Amino acid sequence: MRQAGRYLPEYNATRAKAGSFLALAKSPAYATEVALQPLERYPLDAAILFSDILTVPDAMGLGLYFAEGEGPRFERPLRDEAAIAKLAVPDPGAELRYVLDAVHETRRALQGRVPLIGFSGSPYTLACYMIEGSGSDDWRRVKEMARARPDLLHRILEVNASAVTAYLNAQIEAGAQVVMLFDTWGGSLDTAGYAEFSLAYMRQVISGLSPVPSIVFTKGGGAWLEDIAAIGCSAVGLDWTVDPRDARRRIGDKVALQGNLNPSALLESDASVREQARRVLDAFGAAPGHIFNLGHGITPKSRPDAVAALVDEVRA
Ligand code: CP3
């Protein structure tokens, strides 16, 4: 959940040296440097590859860029049938070589200290950005395509599912020991839409993976936890709206659970961070199979000392 990021002054310094976020992510040496920064500060149990989910559509030729203060954008979003027909699975060993090199270099730099998590966006979440061309409050173009031309959306999702499977397997081959699927926008669908456009394609990805543990996180997916737990993943990520007791009751011990501190806790005092972390730990209980994490990405205004208090409380 953006373990490395703008809340850390050393991240901002490396980013400035690299020139931009994309230059940082595309340089295996810089990506390795920032992936290790949080581990130098905090006694964490895992490292996560430094990259972004939007590298995959970028490798498909959509032209990723970040307009200052505006979030990610694509130069060539999927705006017509011809563009969708032309869409093809990128070769991870060619267009995404820099990510695999970063995995390799990060593994080497970790020297076995902690395991390395690789990741990808879910087919549906990637499709959202590819169709819309940027982030969105309502994903209007995507919803309209789902209703008026579901065949086109399914074509994009098929390509994305193959691309994500190949990409994650390449990360595993390069040294990733766990992989995580970020389905940030699956929760914007209705129940039938989620099953058809998001979950079905994540199932396809999970069933095609080399055998390492996998984590599936749908933000806003609390209504569908049983269905997510049944697609073959090893762990289900929970956002902070889910009551962990309820999740455990519904899922049983079939899979591990990951989560789910509200990231806004990290804007508060150390005492408050500790109290909220303790509440999360108590709600998950003493049974095995809990991976402590935030319920979504860390925000740039989080205090580094609040993260230190959090990690200390969890370890204690
Ligand atoms: O967790 C980690 O430390 C690994 C790195 C990571 C990043 N992005 C780095 C990043 C991971 C796992 C992601 C995933 C990602 N990227 C998701 C899924 C998870 C989620 O947050 O829901 C999504 C939707 C994206 C797309 C994306 N990338 C957005 C919307 C933004 C802008 C965010 C913002 O607050 O402006 C990014 C940029 C990005 N990716 C940053 C980082 C550290 C900030 C860029 C910067 O340094 O300016």
Side-chain angles (χ1 to χ4, degrees), residues 166-253:
Y167 180 53
L168 287 177
N169 281 335
Q171 289 184 31
I172 293 165
E173 200 178 326
Q177 292 148 296
V178 179
V179 291
M180 177 153 171
L181 273 180
F182 287 96
D183 185 31
T184 307
W185 300 114
S188 71
L189 290 160
D190 60 35
T191 292
Y194 179 70
E196 177 178 352
F197 299 115
S198 184
L199 193 64
Y201 292 95
M202 292 201 285
R203 182 184 294 113
Q204 192 174 314
V205 170
I206 296 291
S207 68
L209 288 184
S210 306
V212 301
S214 57
I215 307 165
V216 172
F217 170 69
T218 293
K219 182 165 181 282
W224 312 308
L225 296 178
E226 297 88 338
D227 306 317
I228 300 170
I231 67 171
C233 55
S234 333
V236 174
L238 309 178
D239 70 27
W240 69 89
T241 67
V242 173
D243 178 349
R245 293 180 184 85
D246 183 45
R248 189 49 92 192
R249 225 174 2 248
R250 288 163 57 194
I251 293 184
D253 57 7

Side-chain angles (χ1 to χ4, degrees), residues 1-6 11 15 21 48-54 66 71-72 119 129 182 184-185 296:
M1 295 294 182
R2 304 217 183 121
Q3 190 159 286
R6 286 167 292 180
Y11 168 86
R15 183 180 182 271
F21 169 70
I48 180 159
L49 163 70
F50 189 82
S51 188
D52 194 78
I53 63 166
L54 301 177
F66 283 81
F119 69 88
Y129 288 101
F182 287 96
T184 307
W185 300 114
H296 194 216

Side-chain angles (χ1 to χ4, degrees), residues 239-241 260-267 276 280 293-297:
D239 70 27
W240 69 89
T241 67
N260 71 346
L261 182 73
N262 190 331
S264 72
L266 296 171
L267 306 173
Q276 293 183 65
V280 169
N293 195 10
L294 302 183
H296 194 216

